[in-house]
């Protein structure tokens, strides 16, 4: 006898989770021993301690002398503490270079300005770019708007000091993965709405965009893979508290809430087919197109959340990274 579908499945008309890419599925078995799909608030302190031990040193970040690395303290948002920017500039370059302004991932509750920076530095080395990575305050200790305002303040400072740093203020690209992807999207919205720095592009990798956490993929992937619906609830509740999922959530916290996605910089957007953020990411790209904007969207078949960082040697991860680099090369060529 066939089991009756649940009310949620009837509402969304979804089946079981999409299959993981076979190579990634094997990696996920190992990853799952250390990183469960769900995150609960009481787990945050231990995860922060674990991530701190993986921090790269300045020597690591130079990539064998390819970059000069410094950490600079700059003014934060008005009335708030200063923020730290990790600045990596290519050595031996006399002219102003493009820059990737990086907002790190970590579900709004984890990470620092070194988190996820390895691939960003790979782009920069390949294409002759600089990287500026911002250290923003984390939730729940610092809820919205602290994280996004820190990120925006760092972007404004970078634009104002571009000449001093040897950066090309006309070629600034915001980029981030997961929560960092959501913050990059929000920073692009703020720059547009406040008349801030003109951005050449935005790179939104498996972005965390919608606090409502109620898409078909969020239900479909519950308890499966990496960063499931429970983890997502933990992250958004830390950021927004009681406002999470309600009518008053800000678009600068959850960019999926933005009513107007016109006049934004060209976007590269990607996501795995087997992760919580799939449907909100596809919807965001579609709305950029509907508003007359430019976006390149990739939905990588069988990819779980963060697969390209956790299983970088997998064939799908290599294809994913190559597509990002190709887009960047085209953008800079234009």
């Amino acid at each position: 006898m066939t089991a009756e579908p649940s009310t949620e499945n009837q509402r969304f008309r979804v089946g079981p989770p999409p299959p993981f890419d076979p190579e990634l599925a094997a990696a996920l078995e190992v990853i799952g021993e250390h990183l469960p799909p769900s995150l609960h608030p009481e787990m945050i302190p231990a995860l922060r301690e674990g991530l701190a031990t993986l921090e790269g040193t300045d020597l690591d970040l130079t990539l064998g002398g390819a970059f000069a690395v410094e950490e600079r303290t700059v003014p934060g948002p008005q009335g708030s503490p200063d923020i730290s920017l990790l600045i990596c500039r290519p050595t031996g370059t006399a002219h102003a270079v493009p820059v990737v302004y990086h907002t790190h991932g970590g579900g709004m509750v984890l990470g620092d300005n070194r988190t996820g920076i390895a691939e960003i530095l790979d782009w920069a080395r390949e294409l002759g770019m600089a990287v500026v990575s911002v250290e923003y305050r984390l939730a729940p200790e610092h809820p919205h708007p602290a994280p996004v305002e820190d990120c925006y303040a760092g972007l404004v400072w970078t634009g104002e000091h571009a000449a001093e740093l040897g950066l090309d203020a006309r070629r600034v690209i915001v980029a981030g993965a997961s929560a960092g992807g959501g913050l990059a999207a929000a920073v692009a919205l703020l720059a547009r709405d406040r008349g801030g720095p003109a951005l050449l592009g935005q790179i939104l990798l498996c972005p965390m965009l919608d606090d409502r956490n109620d898409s078909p993929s969020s239900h479909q992937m519950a308890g499966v893979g990496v960063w499931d619906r429970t983890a997502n609830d933990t992250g958004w509740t830390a950021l927004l508290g009681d406002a999470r999922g309600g009518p008053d959530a800000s678009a600068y916290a959850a960019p999926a809430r933005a009513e107007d996605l016109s006049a934004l910089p060209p976007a590269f957007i990607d996501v795995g087919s087997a992760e919580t953020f799939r449907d909100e990411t596809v919807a965001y790209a579609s709305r950029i197109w509907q508003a007359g904007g430019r976006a390149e969207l990739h939905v990588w078949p069988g990819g779980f959340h963060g697969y390209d960082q956790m299983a970088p040697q997998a064939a799908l991860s290599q294809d994913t990274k190559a597509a990002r680099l190709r887009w960047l090369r085209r953008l800079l060529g234009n």
Side-chain angles (χ1 to χ4, degrees), residues 41-286:
E42 62 272 15
M43 298 165 62
I44 293 173
L47 284 172
R48 285 178 177 172
E49 287 183 14
L51 281 175
T53 64
L54 301 176
E55 230 178 46
T57 66
D58 284 356
L59 181 60
D60 297 325
L61 298 174
T62 70
L63 300 189
F67 294 96
V69 178
E70 66 171 312
E71 193 124 18
R72 192 175 292 201
T73 300
V74 307
Q78 187 172 7
S80 297
D82 291 345
I83 57 175
S84 179
L85 297 179
L86 179 68
I87 303 171
C88 305
R89 291 173 286 182
T91 54
T93 303
H95 59 276
V97 298
V99 58
V100 177
Y101 183 80
H102 176 240
T103 52
H104 70 78
M108 301 294 181
V109 298
L110 305 170
D112 59 28
N113 57 15
R114 286 164 168 76
T115 302
I117 200 172
E119 183 180 5
I120 314 299
L121 287 171
D122 286 342
W123 300 343
R125 179 168 55 180
E126 179 73 21
L127 299 175
M129 306 174 72
V131 176
V132 176
S133 188
V134 59
E135 181 96 2
Y136 58 85
R137 288 169 289 172
L138 298 175
E141 295 88 345
H142 304 285
H144 177 76
V148 71
E149 290 292 355
D150 285 355
C151 293
Y152 184 71
L155 176 68
V156 171
W157 185 92
T158 300
E160 290 174 346
H161 293 79
E164 166 196 339
L165 296 170
L167 310 178
D168 187 345
R170 300 166 304 169
R171 294 193 290 173
V172 179
I173 300 159
V174 293
S178 193
L183 286 165
V187 164
L189 289 168
L190 280 172
R192 179 197 67 183
D193 296 345
R194 294 179 179 176
L199 299 174
L200 183 65
Q202 55 179 325
I203 301 177
L204 314 180
L205 310 179
C206 53
M208 182 176 175
L209 298 168
D210 197 337
D211 63 297
R212 289 163 291 198
N213 195 24
D214 198 32
S215 69
S217 59
S218 75
H219 288 275
Q220 194 174 38
M221 300 304 301
V224 181
V226 174
W227 196 262
D228 74 346
R229 191 163 184 259
T230 297
N232 208 30
D233 180 76
T234 297
W236 280 116
T237 300
L239 184 71
L240 293 173
D242 292 341
R244 187 199 73 76
D248 299 322
S250 168
Y252 303 130
R257 300 287 198 134
E259 295 182 1
D260 178 12
L261 296 184
S262 65
L264 290 171
F268 179 95
I269 305 173
D270 73 6
V271 71
S273 70
E275 67 166 295
T276 298
F277 296 147
R278 181 194 67 219
D279 293 336
E280 64 199 64
T281 298
V282 171
Y284 199 74
S286 295

